[in-house]
Amino acid sequence: MNTKKYAWQFETEPEPYLDNRRMHCPRGKVLGGSSSINGMVYVRGHARDFDQWETEGATGWGYQNVLPYFKKAEQWAFGGDDYRGESGPLGVNNGNNMRNPLYKAFIKAGVDAGYLETDDYNGARQEGFGAMHMTVKNGRRWSTANAYLRPAMDRPNLTVVTHALVQFFEIPLVKVINNVVIIGTCAFTAYLLLANLPWYLPQLGDGESVVPAFYAIVFASIGLAVYSSSKIKYVRILSLGSSLLFILLIAGMWMRAFVLGKGSPADFFGTAGLIGEYFANLHRFFLPINDYHEFYLFWWFSWSIMIGQFTARFVSGIKTWQLLIAMLVVPSIAIGVWFTVLYHYHAEGLKIATFTNLAMISVGVLMVVNSLDSLIRLYTDNLNLTAKRLGRVKYVVLNLVLMVGLTLLFQLDFLRIQWVGALVIGLYFTCFGYILIKRRKQVAAIKSSPKENILDFRRIELAG
């Protein structure tokens, strides 16, 4: 129970009634889960508690409703009766059948002190001193793996995969490099916003120089992202909000160009057809490789490793092809429409209204905030530097100072995204080799993401 090999060494959140101490909460990471590491104590719970649940609205949870299921699951070593089962898969015993004289002495001491004695606290009389019941059969721990899983091992529709976690990113050096990459990419994303604001907002400067107002915008964006990352409920606001505003912006500019203006829907489809020509001539855009391509390739590599990690925590048991559609096809349609509309504005010389320009900048900044939020959540969770652990004030100050400082280092050309991208490429090759050498069979047996990886927005809205 206290070893990392067989148990996840979890801790509770700080308990306010225990001087804010964190309590040890190990959970089994072997076949059978926690039933393979616990104390094997078998206690159903008091009948009156079940009846109270039903009284309070849990229809069907009264003791007489659940008793048949307790009996069906149980194989009581001393035979069945009105309360105990004898043919179920879960073996239950009372230890060594009370052969140790100290057991009887302990029970007698309780009776001498004025307490009741019971032969079966899971039976008719639940109050009193008596023998402890345990999930033991034939002298062995009888976990859920022994009771349910192993008898079904020969089924053709069951495949049991152990050690399925690749665990590459838990190697200490890899963990450090991975989080350095995430932090560096996060700061560089903020720097890119800073570097491009002169072009987006020439009204605030000369169109080339980074003026103090741009620093204020970027630092405010970082602050908003840090604050939003401190609570899980803001995931919905940012992810859905930025997507909705982007769609509304596209729809508004599309209407202006192809419905209210001189263009027509047919012009839109004609312009969209040019995208096919772009892909047919990719070699002309990519070759020869120059500094521009190098810059974006390293940046994309830096982002790719974080997208995989962040997505893996929120996908809900979907297949690889479904994930491909969700992550690549659907966004590509929106981006394709967006660039089609922009190209039409450029080709026809259409002026972009001040309001539309401000809307474009606002959506762009919000998407940067959304990106920073995701990256900050990722590295703080990886390093266990969450707001719940540090407190929100310390969390916000720490991450704000870190991100602002690193953004300035990129601005001063002290840091380069090429270095970060090179680390990612090295991680990819190392991870691939690690899987081939140590985890090939386990990875090959994985069919889809675990179904428990579900982002339930209904629960997020209730999060504190």
Side-chain angles (χ1 to χ4, degrees), residues 263-282:
S264 66
D267 295 328
F268 166 75
F269 289 108
T271 305
L274 297 176
I275 296 177
E277 294 185 21
Y278 170 80
F279 285 105
N281 292 277
L282 277 179

Side-chain angles (χ1 to χ4, degrees), residues 355-420:
F355 175 79
T356 303
N357 189 51
L358 290 175
M360 291 171 63
I361 296 169
S362 300
V363 170
V365 170
L366 185 58
M367 286 188 166
V368 170
V369 172
N370 190 19
S371 300
L372 296 177
D373 171 278
S374 301
L375 293 171
I376 294 169
R377 287 180 192 277
L378 192 56
Y379 76 72
T380 54
D381 186 60
N382 287 345
L383 299 173
N384 196 24
L385 297 174
T386 61
K388 285 186 177 181
R389 184 186 175 202
L390 300 179
R392 180 174 291 183
V393 175
K394 290 182 179 178
Y395 174 88
V396 170
V397 171
L398 172 66
N399 287 286
L400 183 60
V401 171
L402 177 64
M403 286 298 106
V404 168
L406 290 176
T407 301
L408 292 176
L409 289 179
F410 275 112
Q411 170 69 1
L412 296 172
D413 210 25
F414 184 81
L415 294 176
R416 292 178 178 270
I417 193 61
Q418 288 88 335
W419 303 345
V420 180

Side-chain angles (χ1 to χ4, degrees), residues 123-229:
R125 175 183 288 181
Q126 296 190 280
E127 296 88 356
F129 278 65
M132 180 64 68
H133 302 166
M134 307 172 71
T135 50
V136 172
K137 181 179 178 181
N138 300 327
R140 296 181 57 196
R141 172 191 296 272
W142 213 246
S143 65
T144 54
N146 287 331
Y148 296 97
L149 181 59
R150 289 192 171 90
M153 285 287 204
D154 294 332
R155 291 182 183 178
N157 61 344
L158 173 64
T159 301
V160 177
V161 179
T162 59
H163 299 91
L165 293 175
V166 176
Q167 297 178 317
F168 175 74
F169 287 96
E170 294 303 315
I171 298 174
L173 178 60
V174 174
K175 188 171 185 177
V176 170
I177 295 175
N178 177 47
N179 287 289
V180 166
V181 166
I182 297 171
I183 294 170
T185 306
C186 186
F188 183 77
T189 302
Y191 159 71
L192 274 187
L193 175 62
L194 179 64
N196 285 283
L197 278 176
W199 185 78
Y200 285 114
L201 286 171
Q203 303 91 335
L204 298 182
D206 58 10
E208 295 182 0
S209 305
V210 177
V211 298
F214 298 150
Y215 284 103
I217 292 173
V218 172
F219 294 164
S221 300
I222 293 173
L224 179 59
V226 170
Y227 181 82
S228 67
S229 69

Side-chain angles (χ1 to χ4, degrees), residues 66-93:
V66 300
L67 179 59
Y69 295 97
F70 279 127
K71 295 176 64 177
K72 183 178 181 179
E74 181 184 52
Q75 188 180 124
W76 177 231
F78 304 101
D81 57 26
D82 291 341
Y83 293 90
R84 309 306 297 256
E86 60 181 347
S87 58
L90 185 63
V92 181
N93 208 320

